[in-house]
Amino acid sequence: MADANKDLVARLADLSEGAIQRLSEAPGADRAFQALKGLGDRVDELQRRTRGFEELEKRLTTLEKRVDLLAKPKLQPKPKPARKPTSGAGAPPKSGPPPKKP
């Protein structure tokens, strides 16, 4: 069985080599192969540029949260109402209509 697999793999390799040979002889094949090589280089460059995006996204999320916290109006404590003096000897007279005489 191992010999059969090796034979099959060898046949496939021979066929693929022949197909590549015929492709390379086709008109415009040089340009196609150069484009494929250039594509690999461009993909590598793109990967290098996009590597830092994850870190930038984390930093952006942190900054957005900080801005949201700063943009929220701060709740100011309500001022305590002034103490109203109770009616008594030390209290100032109430303003308003004078009391009726009986």
Side-chain angles (χ1 to χ4, degrees), residues 29-75:
D30 251 358
R31 289 175 46 199
F33 285 129
Q34 287 177 357
L36 286 174
K37 286 181 184 179
L39 178 65
D41 294 339
R42 288 189 302 230
V43 168
D44 290 342
E45 178 68 20
L46 182 63
Q47 283 179 333
R48 185 185 62 77
R49 286 184 181 179
T50 58
R51 232 176 248 144
F53 281 164
E54 186 174 327
E55 181 183 334
L56 287 175
E57 286 176 352
K58 288 179 184 177
R59 289 175 56 194
L60 179 63
T61 303
T62 303
L63 290 173
E64 285 175 341
K65 288 178 184 178
R66 289 176 62 188
V67 167
D68 287 343
L69 288 175
L70 291 173
K72 286 184 182 178
K74 293 185 180 179
L75 298 176

